[in-house]
Amino acid sequence: MLAAQRRDLLLARLRRDGRIVAKDLAAELGLSEDSIRRDLRDLAAAGLCQRVYGGALPASPAIADHATRQSIEVPGKQRVAAAAAALIEPDSTAILDGGTTALAVARALPPGLRATVVTHSPTVAAALAGHHDVEVYLIGGRLFKHSMVACGAAAAEAARGVNADVFLLGVTGVHPEAGLTTDDADEAAMKRTLARQAADTYVLASSEKIGAASRFAVLPLTRVAGVVTDADAGDATVRALGVPVIHAA
């Protein structure tokens, strides 16, 4: 089997099974495990999979830059946003993450809502300017332009002064084994800091993020109150998450 054929097979297995175990696939194909691992390295370098211990998981399309992500799964993000917006109750304090789905949540909030929203995203803060009864606190720091959010020591220190009812968390991957992941270490650390400041954390997960993984762990699924997704309720990966799921119609 040629290298190109092997890689096509690996991608097909990722789509079908949602993961590759290098040892098992090597035995099935009668190849060396090293050959499979080399192919996975090449696919990972091309952004086509995320290598993990013993094999690989599907790579998330949500690691593209902020401008590109605005055109990915727009209807799904809007459905997730509408369902997630209902989690911000009147007179509550909510932390709203950055990213395109969080921006959709800000736009989906009822015009007359009275609440406090804390965010480290200037784009999310700006989207709330027309919500006259929403008090907005913008956390500052080093701007991570990929997601248009503030990160770093100054942002984390400011976040630790917040106590919120709910945190709506954006990630690039939601996987039963890998947990919640994103593609930048500093952004992952900032998300963990924000999660510690809220009574409940809910994950914003449009369908392309379900079953995918990125390089850096944010939180295990056991640390969240639920996942908001437009993925099919019967999807095997959704059922395997092991946490409450809010299905966005």
Side-chain angles (χ1 to χ4, degrees):
M1 185 182 292
L2 298 175
Q5 293 175 311
R6 290 199 311 271
R7 290 164 194 163
D8 287 342
L9 175 61
L10 292 176
L11 290 174
R13 289 297 178 90
L14 271 177
R15 287 191 293 269
R16 190 192 76 181
D17 301 335
R19 64 173 298 161
I20 287 173
V21 178
K23 181 179 179 180
D24 294 348
L25 189 57
E28 178 187 335
L29 300 178
L31 298 170
S32 71
E33 193 173 338
D34 283 344
S35 294
I36 299 297
R37 292 185 185 280
R38 281 196 300 271
D39 290 338
L40 292 177
R41 281 196 294 270
D42 291 341
L43 291 174
L48 299 175
C49 75
Q50 176 60 51
R51 294 178 67 212
V52 295
Y53 180 77
L57 298 174
S60 173
I63 62 173
D65 61 75
H66 190 269
T68 301
R69 295 201 313 278
Q70 292 187 65
S71 62
I72 296 175
E73 292 291 334
V74 174
K77 290 177 182 177
Q78 290 174 338
R79 289 192 293 271
V80 169
L87 296 170
I88 301 179
E89 298 181 353
D91 299 313
S92 68
T93 297
I95 301 173
L96 189 49
D97 205 350
T100 54
T101 309
L103 181 59
V105 173
R107 292 169 174 164
L109 292 177
L113 175 69
R114 179 183 294 275
T116 298
V117 173
V118 180
T119 183
H120 63 315
S121 167
T123 55
V124 168
L128 292 168
H131 288 72
H132 300 295
D133 293 323
V134 173
E135 191 169 18
V136 181
Y137 286 87
L138 179 59
I139 293 173
R142 178 183 63 84
L143 184 64
F144 178 50
K145 295 180 182 179
H146 178 273
S147 298
M148 292 300 293
V149 293
C151 292
E157 183 177 356
R160 284 191 284 269
V162 175
N163 290 303
D165 299 291
V166 65
F167 173 35
L168 300 184
L169 165 66
V171 294
T172 58
V174 179
H175 191 277
E177 297 173 20
L180 308 172
T181 54
T182 194
D183 205 50
D184 181 82
D186 287 344
E187 188 179 20
M190 186 64 189
K191 291 175 187 293
R192 284 193 295 275
T193 298
L194 292 170
R196 285 193 291 268
Q197 305 308 124
D200 291 310
T201 294
Y202 288 89
V203 183
L204 308 173
S206 45
S207 58
E208 81 280 5
K209 299 171 185 175
I210 300 294
S214 296
R215 294 185 296 169
F216 298 100
V218 178
L219 292 171
L221 282 159
T222 54
R223 291 277 304 279
V224 302
V227 173
V228 186
T229 184
D230 64 320
D232 193 297
D235 183 275
T237 304
V238 173
R239 295 200 310 270
L241 295 177
V243 295
V245 175
I246 297 173
H247 293 285

